[in-house]
Amino acid sequence: MPLLKTENLGITFGGLKALSDVHVEINEHELVGLIGPNGAGKTTFFNLITGVYTPTEGKIIFDGKLMNGKKNYQFNNIGIARTFQNIRLFKGLTVIENVKTAFHSSMKYSPFSGILKLPSYWKEEKLIHEKAIELLRVFSLENLINENASNLPYGQQRKLEIARALATNPKLLLLDEPAAGMNPSETSELMETIDIIRKRFNITILLIEHDMNLVMGICEKIFVLDYGMIIAKGVPEKIKSNPKVIAAYLGE
Amino acid sequence: MKNNFKYTAFIVLLLLVTYFVFVFLISSKTINNYYQGILMLIMINVMLAVSLNLVTGFLGQLTLGHAGFMAIGAYVSALFTKVSELPDILSFVIALILAGIAAAAAGIIIGIPALRLKGDYIAILTLSAGEIIRGLIIYFDEYTGGSRGMKMIPAYSNFSNVFWIMIITIFVIYSIIHSRHGRAVIAIREDEIAAESVGINIVNYKLFAFCISAFFAGVAGALFAHYNTLLDPNNFDYNYSIEMLIMVVFGGMGSLTGSIVAALGLTALPQILSDFSNYRMLLYSILLIIIMLFKPSGLFGTHEFSIMAIGGLFKGKKSKTKKRGDL
Amino acid sequence: MNFIQQLINGLSIGSVYALVALGYTMVYGIVKLINFAHGDIIMVGSYIVLFSMKSAGFPFWISILGAFTLCAILGVVIERVAYKPLRQAPRISALITAIGVSILIQNVFMLSFKPDPRPFPNVIDGNFGIGSINVSYTTALTIGISVLLMILLQLIVKKTKVGKAMRAVSEDEGAASLMGINVNRTISITFAIGSGLAAVGGALYSAAYPLVDPFMGAMFGLKAFVAAVIGGIGSIPGAILGGLIMGIAESMTKAYISSQLTDIIVFGILIVVLLVKPSGIMGKNVKEKV
């Protein structure tokens, strides 16, 4: 059974079909790339499978459950976490607070124990503090925990956003152009990190990327979107030589 | 987040000393009735400013109906104690709890439509709600005395109970902010979409903050009713809500200690300088605009005054303000 | 018969609400700000007409033109000084500034002209009958001027270059500026028109309820804003519809239920409308970009 499956998925904005007839299957532990030219509907697809938008047609099935009509936060609670194309950190908070906030749903203590500072409060807060530092260590951010998120350089902000998404303990991690704005050496370092986190956290990753060569390097499977439709899917080698994909990227 | 026993002990000691100093000054008549009245108003305003800060400063939503919630607490508690035949203390305790619950319930009723909407509607809905509440109080004059006011409310509030209830209010709101629930609330202020994307149910947490804030406004209203012993619906108009907002803004949106200092200063100043009262709002409005233009997070921003840092000042060390979340 | 009489009263006050609501809705449409000071511009307009007629002896129509011009300038100044620097700031900062401006205007007027209400001069006396219904000339004038201004505004927004620029900026400020539209000038014009309409609204309101005081704009402005929200904020026909609904609801409540309950019912309508259709009767749903 695939982890994520969309059937005939589509959305219309004021008469304009942004996505239509999207069939996608992603299996557990896969590292999948979603590519396509600007405006092809990649981010719209992310917004659909995270509940930011409600689809006007089709189905989203995650982990065997029909997700249509669920709210944004419910998508996260069931195991889909994401990053954003234009980084959306909690800018006024520190690095560690950003991550701790994302542990919210895995914590159990009630407002009552929070107010009275009962033992469950101390226990869970201590645990989450350690977990957060451990997570930040993966991204080499452990020395910056008390820094304001907005003070971090761009590349580290991207990393922090991934760490925050991972803190929600997802089964599927969606990365929206994680390498945007990075130089080639930062990018290759990031790609390595992505591979590491997939293995370490044992999760499935779907990433949007512009740069074909990059995606080809690490992804096992690729979907190509153009004008709101999937025009190709398969292993990188096949995608590379697919005439439709070449046409979409180079223009006819 | 350090379980610093020494720090806690120091604060408790400081509170006890403050409390007993005031009790001594009041019982020895060094603080006369007039100044005691100002003191009571200061403490009630501290409660209002701190509770409003939870919504305006930490949740980041502008509400303009805090005086309405206070009014509900004031009238509900007064209606109860006037008819209650229970012993005074018991009757007052129940009245305080009822006041909080009634205000919180009103907060939920108003919050559900207001918080479903994005953006600025909450300001206008809470403002409207404040006016509706005042209108209802005037309309049901059979019970509330209407615009003639409600009189003969038992004078149960005194320095001791108001002081400790104020401390409890501050403590509860401080604790909430430093819990996972508070982090969810602050995350909503920072970025609603990002907050939702990490699994926070933003409607619930908005309601949560709204509800707690209204609860303490209600309790403050009850304390006010049983201190003033008479209630006039016009005490709770839009202008009072605005004054609370001014306290929060001046003290810093997201700074509890800032709210406390601002509530103290802004309540005491006009009482001491009576000539000032005519020009007060003029000055406040200009300051409000200037603060927003040049330092939008308020005078002290989200910084908290640290008592330890003030202590350090006396020892000749460099003083510094602490950042919220780092306490 | 009484019902039709009340309906006419409602239309009269409702058209004044509509005029003021138009300013709120235009400003909100273009800069996404509840301009709390808009209500106080009503008051400024009333004072200008009052002084112009009483102290300077100008006729009503010249006074209205004067009030329109001066308030338009005031609106532009407020925007430039207080709101423009905060366009990129968090919403709550701009809202608090708007509240600050509102309190500032109220207090400047209170300190300059005393808080006591002043009588507003009589504009035109008398009434005329349609069948058995008596309509005062003031009512007819109010409805007439309001309708005229609404048509004029609709023409400006739909047919002129300025109107097109306004609509473009409210759709997408960045794109509009890339298309060569002067965004700052367009926003200023919007504030000028909105504030001018509020001044006229103030004068007409004072003609019907002839008392002027420094705080008269606060409640009236709030109700006009509620009208704009009910009609659908950002929509010009919506503001007019909302204003008329408010006016009629108010006069009907006063006549048939209880004058004490008017505010409660008016704000109650707001809550019901927002629960049923959060974007207002004629508003459109907008999704935030992610």
Side-chain angles (χ1 to χ4, degrees), chain A residues 72-73 76-77 84 88 90-93 97 101 104-105 107-111 114-115 121 125 148 164 168, chain B residues 171-172 175-176 178-181 183-184 186-187 190-191 193-201 205 323-325:
Chain A
N72 192 348
Y73 75 93
N76 180 265
N77 288 342
F84 297 88
R88 278 178 177 265
F90 305 127
K91 289 213 175 76
L93 305 186
E97 282 171 328
T101 304
H104 182 267
S105 310
M107 298 171 87
K108 291 284 165 288
Y109 69 79
S110 66
I115 291 166
Y121 165 83
E125 284 292 330
N148 237 343
R164 187 182 67 183
T168 64
Chain B
F171 175 76
V172 168
S175 296
I176 287 173
H178 292 84
S179 71
R180 71 186 184 103
H181 313 287
R183 277 199 295 268
I186 294 168
E190 293 290 318
D191 189 327
I193 287 172
E196 251 192 306
S197 84
V198 296
I200 292 165
N201 181 342
Y205 276 98
K323 276 218 68 184
R324 176 183 34 74

Side-chain angles (χ1 to χ4, degrees), chain C residues 29-79:
Chain C
I30 207 158
V31 289
K32 305 286 173 284
L33 169 74
I34 301 177
N35 181 12
F36 279 97
H38 194 66
D40 302 293
I41 291 182
I42 303 168
M43 177 270 293
V44 176
S46 294
Y47 268 94
I48 292 172
V49 173
L50 169 75
F51 288 132
S52 154
M53 287 175 78
K54 264 204 174 156
S55 314
F58 287 119
F60 186 61
W61 65 274
I62 290 190
S63 308
I64 279 202
L65 278 180
F68 185 98
T69 316
L70 290 175
C71 286
I73 295 170
L74 178 65
V76 173
V77 170
I78 291 171
E79 195 275 327

Side-chain angles (χ1 to χ4, degrees), chain B residues 38 62 81 93 123 160 180 233 257 270:
Chain B
I38 298 176
L62 183 62
T81 52
V93 170
S160 296
R180 71 186 184 103
T257 37

Side-chain angles (χ1 to χ4, degrees), chain A residues 35-62:
Chain A
I35 63 171
N38 262 331
K42 302 184 298 286
T43 299
T44 306
F45 180 69
F46 268 26
N47 285 336
L48 282 174
I49 59 171
T50 51
V52 175
Y53 298 154
T54 315
T56 42
E57 56 189 85
K59 286 181 187 166
I60 303 167
I61 297 156
F62 183 77

